[in-house]
């Protein structure tokens, strides 16, 4: 069984020139719930002047349907983000740092070491407030400014986040630099270091066309939790040439073709993808929406 973390409402929208209304964001998530998705990175508690697409995080959470086993997570980059998050009923905190100093300085104006030190306290406080906390490690497979990021650096940051109280880790390919062999090797190293029972997720972008190949490599290495975005929406405002995330309906189609359950209905996902393309007012990147299932 695959667990999907749908990041379209956050990562999918944060780089779009068109800013959706609170009501449109809530409808997008509601439609995805109807397709069977049960875990969302729904909002981001970031500076609204820097990422105006995410300015209405509190309002979005208030507008969402509750219950039915649905979990809503919010992205946290700093203590100020935690302060905002703790005024809401968000279920889970996704605490994020990248693992490259050059990228992290552009993203949050801190070195990796400075971010990790601050975020350890954020993780502790979030856990003390009875929130589930996951750590998200960006540029885990490479940095557009520095190139290779050492696996030992990624695992060291993961260790500090887990020690502070994270219940799991997501390794993120922020700018689509990963390849399947690299994914397989890093997942195996993570499992050797922290055990195969430690919750591990993977987050891929399709910048160089390897998103689904990397997803499959992660699955074959033992991962069962994957981030994806409806219609392939996505991109980072601070990443050069950033394009969308792995497309949710394309990923679901791949797993269903392999006989692997995702807990979702593909036809309903495709209807939501078509609606999303209409609401965004431009052609989107999902392949299944173009080609169909037949």
């Amino acid at each position: 069984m695959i667990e999907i973390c749908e990041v379209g409402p956050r990562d999918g929208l944060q780089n779009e020139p068109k800013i959706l209304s609170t009501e449109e964001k809530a409808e997008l998530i509601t439609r995805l719930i109807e397709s069977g998705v049960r875990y969302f990175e729904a909002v981001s508690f970031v500076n609204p002047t820097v990422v105006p697409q995410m300015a209405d995080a509190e309002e979005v959470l208030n507008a969402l349907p509750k219950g039915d086993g649905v979990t809503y997570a919010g992205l946290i980059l700093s203590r100020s983000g935690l302060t905002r998050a703790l005024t809401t009923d968000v279920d889970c905190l996704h605490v994020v740092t990248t693992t490259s100093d050059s990228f992290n300085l552009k993203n949050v104006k801190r070195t990796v070491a400075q971010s990790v030190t601050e975020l350890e306290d954020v993780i502790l406080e979030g856990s003390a407030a009875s929130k589930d906390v996951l750590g998200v490690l960006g540029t885990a497979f490479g940095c557009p400014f520095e190139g290779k990021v050492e696996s030992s650096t990624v695992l060291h940051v993961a260790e500090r986040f887990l020690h502070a109280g994270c219940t799991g880790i997501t390794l993120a390919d922020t700018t689509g630099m990963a390849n399947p062999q690299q994914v397989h090797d890093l997942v195996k190293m993570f499992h050797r270091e922290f055990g195969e029972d430690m919750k591990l997720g993977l987050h891929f972008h399709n910048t160089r066309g390897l998103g689904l190949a990397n997803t499959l490599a992660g699955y074959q290495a033992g991962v069962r939790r994957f981030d994806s975005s409806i219609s392939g929406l996505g991109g980072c405002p601070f990443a050069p040439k950033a394009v969308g995330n792995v497309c949710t309906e394309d990923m679901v189609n791949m797993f269903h073709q392999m006989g692997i359950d995702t807990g979702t209905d593909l036809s309903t996902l495709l209807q939501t993808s078509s609606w999303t393309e209409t609401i965004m007012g431009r052609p989107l990147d999902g392949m299944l929406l173009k080609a169909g299932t037949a």
Side-chain angles (χ1 to χ4, degrees), residues 209-280:
L210 290 176
L212 279 180
N214 290 329
T215 299
L216 180 58
Y219 176 83
Q220 292 172 333
V223 178
R224 296 296 180 268
R225 175 186 171 87
F226 298 96
D227 291 6
S228 63
S229 177
I230 191 70
S231 306
L233 281 168
C236 176
F238 308 100
K241 301 179 182 178
V243 300
N245 296 69
V246 168
C247 173
T248 299
E249 63 269 22
D250 291 353
M251 183 181 76
V252 166
N253 180 61
M254 179 185 77
F255 282 126
H256 286 190
Q257 291 287 335
M258 296 168 65
I260 300 165
D261 187 16
T262 66
T264 62
D265 180 76
L266 184 56
S267 63
T268 308
L269 275 175
L270 279 169
Q271 291 170 17
T272 300
S273 182
S274 179
W275 176 87
T276 304
E277 188 170 71
T278 299
I279 208 74
M280 297 310 300

Side-chain angles (χ1 to χ4, degrees), residues 22 26 29 42-43 45 56-66 72 87-90:
T22 299
I29 292 170
V43 296
F45 297 100
D56 58 345
E58 291 86 350
E59 292 79 9
V60 169
L61 287 168
N62 285 335
L64 294 177
K66 305 301 191 293
Y72 300 120
T87 67
T88 75
D89 61 355
V90 70

Side-chain angles (χ1 to χ4, degrees), residues 153-196:
T153 300
V154 177
L155 295 177
H156 175 68
V157 176
E159 181 179 31
R160 289 184 64 176
F161 271 24
L162 292 168
H163 181 74
C166 283
T167 58
I169 296 290
T170 293
L171 302 177
D173 184 23
T174 309
T175 59
M177 298 179 69
N179 67 73
Q181 186 64 56
Q182 182 187 19
V183 171
H184 179 276
D185 293 346
L186 186 55
V187 167
K188 289 299 185 183
M189 288 185 352
F190 184 94
H191 284 158
R192 284 195 298 270
E193 187 74 17
F194 303 112
E196 294 190 7

Side-chain angles (χ1 to χ4, degrees), residues 109 123 128 220 227 239 241 288 290:
K109 297 181 173 56
I123 293 164
Q220 292 172 333
D227 291 6
K241 301 179 182 178
L288 205 64
K290 298 175 176 68

